[in-house]
Amino acid sequence: MPLTLSGLSDLGDLPLLSRTEPGGDWPLLLWVPGGGRRMVSSALLGGGLGERGWVLNAQVPPGYRRLDPAAHLAGLAARAGVSGPGVGLMTAAPVRDRCWASDEGVEALVTAGIGVRGWAADPAPAHTGAPPAGTINIVVSVPVPLSDAALVNAVATATEAKVQALRDAGIDASGTPTDAVCVAAPHPRPGRAAEPFAGPRSRWGARIARAVHRGTLRACERALRHTADGRRPPVSGGG
């Protein structure tokens, strides 16, 4: 997987990269915003809150059952040429179908697999071991610093917007069992203190909600069309 890091800073125009693994060529998206960002994420790799330098979203085969997904993602990142702390996401959804949306400086990039979905409050027993890969992955870029509390609040806002998008797409579910979100914001700097709020009625939270809603709605509608057509988009790609 010979990749270069040039041209990977624009969240809205990321090239589709690929790597060869057992089973064929599998695409991935790599975002390297430059300068480092404070990120909060529920990702398998690099989850939590802290400084991160990159975000990787890797497509894996349906029925993925590796028991070391974090190590797998770390290896893909190393092969892609990035180092240091970063965020690694994975999905069985076609990442070539990612959808980007923006709202007054906030950007959201969404990949959506909705084959395994349901409501969060479900009486079904929990899974043990690695969960099935499917997943709605949401990456949000905010152009202003956010406090720790605001970063966490932004995750809640993005999740609310995701559920609203699912409803508006006519999908009777709150998500999939493996949905993940990552919110990135710059460091505070002299003359620019961190924003304290990111709820849906705050200035920046409202922008997060609208961008995530639009991106998720488009991604879910695209996934529904693929399901209706009875076809699976090709997974090979270059970049």
Side-chain angles (χ1 to χ4, degrees):
M1 183 175 56
L3 307 177
T4 65
L5 301 185
S6 61
L8 301 179
S9 62
D10 187 350
L11 187 62
D13 193 28
L14 293 179
L16 189 69
L17 309 174
S18 70
R19 87 277 184 185
T20 300
E21 293 194 308
D25 293 333
W26 298 95
L28 57 83
L29 299 169
L30 177 63
W31 180 44
V32 186
R37 301 287 179 95
R38 278 167 33 87
M39 300 188 191
V40 61
S41 177
S42 60
L44 286 166
L45 176 67
L49 193 157
E51 183 168 351
R52 306 287 187 264
W54 47 268
V55 180
L56 178 77
N57 189 4
Q59 184 176 338
V60 296
Y64 179 89
R65 285 294 182 270
R66 281 186 59 159
L67 299 179
D68 61 343
H72 186 193
L73 287 166
L76 293 179
R79 290 169 59 192
V82 291
S83 59
V87 170
L89 311 164
M90 64 171 48
T91 180
V95 298
R96 69 167 58 247
D97 284 343
R98 82 284 202 165
C99 290
W100 174 87
S102 66
D103 193 285
E104 297 189 69
V106 173
E107 299 178 273
L109 188 69
V110 183
T111 57
I114 54 174
V116 180
R117 60 184 186 263
W119 290 98
D122 192 313
H127 291 286
T128 58
T135 309
I136 299 171
N137 283 337
I138 299 172
V139 178
V140 180
S141 176
V142 183
V144 299
L146 299 178
S147 69
D148 287 359
L151 280 167
V152 175
N153 204 177
V155 171
T157 296
T159 302
E160 291 180 36
K162 176 199 72 175
V163 176
Q164 183 179 345
L166 285 163
R167 184 207 64 180
D168 290 346
I171 299 170
D172 189 27
S174 58
T176 84
T178 53
D179 289 352
V181 61
C182 175
V183 179
H187 292 277
R189 58 188 184 275
R192 184 75 213 204
E195 296 285 333
F197 306 113
R201 296 283 67 82
S202 70
R203 179 184 182 189
W204 290 102
R207 295 169 179 178
I208 291 169
R210 290 191 294 263
V212 170
H213 176 267
R214 283 197 290 268
T216 305
L217 180 60
R218 292 170 188 163
C220 288
E221 289 175 339
R222 183 171 291 180
L224 285 173
R225 287 196 296 272
H226 291 323
T227 301
D229 292 344
R231 62 186 175 90
R232 186 182 302 279
V235 298
S236 61

